[in-house]
Amino acid sequence: MMPLVMVFAAALAVAMSSGTVYAKMVMQTFPVLAGAGAHDVYPAPDGTVWFTAQSAGKLGHLDPRTGKSDLIALGPGAAPHGVIVGPDGAAWVTEGGQNAIARVDPATRGVKLFPLPKERRNANLNTAVFDGQGAIWFTGQNGIYGRLDPKSGTMAVFDAPRGTGPYGIATTPGGQVFFASLAGNYLGQIDLETGGVTVLEPPVPRQGARRVWSDSRGALWITGWNSGDLFPLRHQDERLGAPAFARRQAAALRGLC
């Protein structure tokens, strides 16, 4: 029998007793084909789940209702890293093997590639996110970050501060975009108009900021790869602008670290 690789899913069940709310996590596992090398996952609005089958060079699609999954070829030499679902309902993939952003149509399974400029070879693409204006922003660990307009296909690629390192990326509810630099040890706030970056220093030296997420209030959460920490960067109003935002974060973090 072919060995299986397991994809995990967790469901949160909430029960109430005597006015007290209790939460219980329920864990399920779903087998996918051996050799898929599942890396990133992202839930789709229809209840299915996309995952990058990095070792197989394909995009995976899992239906938790049936437990069945299949793999979609992305092209020769593909090595997908991250996957998200865009406002158009399609799966968008940071496709490092072909040095391109890939769009996969959920209905037809058709793949459209948006290659990086030739002078930006081997970007080592990592993760991507949509901003509130419909543009997709992405990171490349070999020292770049970029923006793609899905409608026009126009792409801009920028050099990251401190060179190599850009990894995780997130959008806040207010539409601001931040990325974490693993090798650079900082959080970068992107100016959506100019593409410039303001460097925000996390409180833990050499922590290796790897992934970043925003919660519903706009607070940012970062995993420190080198330090092994998960810590928040909090602020009261994300509309303050970068300098005031950084000062608010620093003040909040003094009470947390």
Side-chain angles (χ1 to χ4, degrees), residues 143-199:
I144 64 96
Y145 63 98
R147 176 185 60 219
L148 168 67
D149 182 343
K151 293 182 179 180
S152 67
T154 303
M155 181 181 291
V157 181
F158 307 92
D159 292 317
R162 303 179 188 174
T164 59
Y167 202 104
I169 192 167
T171 302
T172 68
Q176 295 192 55
V177 178
F178 297 82
F179 70 85
S181 177
L182 177 58
N185 295 304
Y186 68 86
L187 186 72
Q189 180 181 7
I190 300 175
D191 185 316
L192 302 186
E193 297 300 324
T194 67
V197 169
T198 298
V199 171

Side-chain angles (χ1 to χ4, degrees), residues 25 37 128 137 174 184 228-229 231:
M25 296 296 294
W137 292 84
D229 296 324
F231 54 88

